[in-house]
Amino acid sequence: MSNKTLQEIAKGAGLVFVGTFTIYLLKFIYRLIVSRYLGPSDYGLLSLGDGILNIAFLFSIIGLSSGLLKYVPHYIGKDNLEKVKGMIITTFKIVIPLSFIITIGIIVFSDYI
């Protein structure tokens, strides 16, 4: 690998680190503020709802984001932008209807959840 490539990788990794750190810091501040204004039972309900939404999110994307992370740079490197466009459109065609179905399921079964 060339020195320029390593610099680009290090720059990207640093950007990801800063972004991840910022997200975790904002989540911590949010939870701190919310926990002060809600009682223990209400905060527990909020945490349970957050967990349910995270699980629903995992089922709605069904691993397609990992596939995009692998194949989009691969096809960009080969200058095959039609494949990239097709993959992104196909991902949206799968994820959006699946998200609606999961959302309707959560709403219908909200009393049991």
Side-chain angles (χ1 to χ4, degrees):
M1 276 192 208
S2 69
N3 196 22
K4 183 180 177 186
T5 305
L6 288 176
Q7 286 178 344
E8 288 179 12
I9 291 172
K11 186 176 166 183
L15 190 62
V16 168
F17 174 75
V18 169
T20 303
F21 181 77
T22 304
I23 288 171
Y24 281 119
L25 182 66
L26 291 173
K27 277 185 179 179
F28 176 74
I29 293 169
Y30 161 74
R31 288 190 179 262
L32 188 66
I33 292 169
V34 169
S35 67
R36 295 221 184 250
Y37 289 106
L38 297 177
S41 63
D42 289 336
Y43 182 73
L45 286 174
L46 179 71
S47 294
L48 285 173
D50 188 37
I52 290 169
L53 287 177
N54 285 333
I55 291 170
F57 173 73
L58 288 174
F59 280 111
S60 69
I61 61 171
I62 59 171
L64 290 173
S65 60
S66 299
L68 283 178
L69 286 174
K70 180 178 191 272
Y71 288 109
V72 166
H74 175 75
Y75 286 121
I76 287 176
K78 291 186 172 188
D79 286 332
N80 194 346
L81 298 181
E82 284 299 316
K83 273 273 207 206
V84 173
K85 181 180 174 184
M87 286 174 34
I88 292 172
I89 290 171
T90 302
T91 301
F92 278 123
K93 285 181 180 179
I94 294 170
V95 170
I96 290 174
L98 193 57
S99 297
F100 280 121
I101 292 168
I102 290 173
T103 301
I104 290 169
I106 288 174
I107 291 169
V108 168
F109 295 109
S110 64
D111 290 338
Y112 300 110
I113 295 175

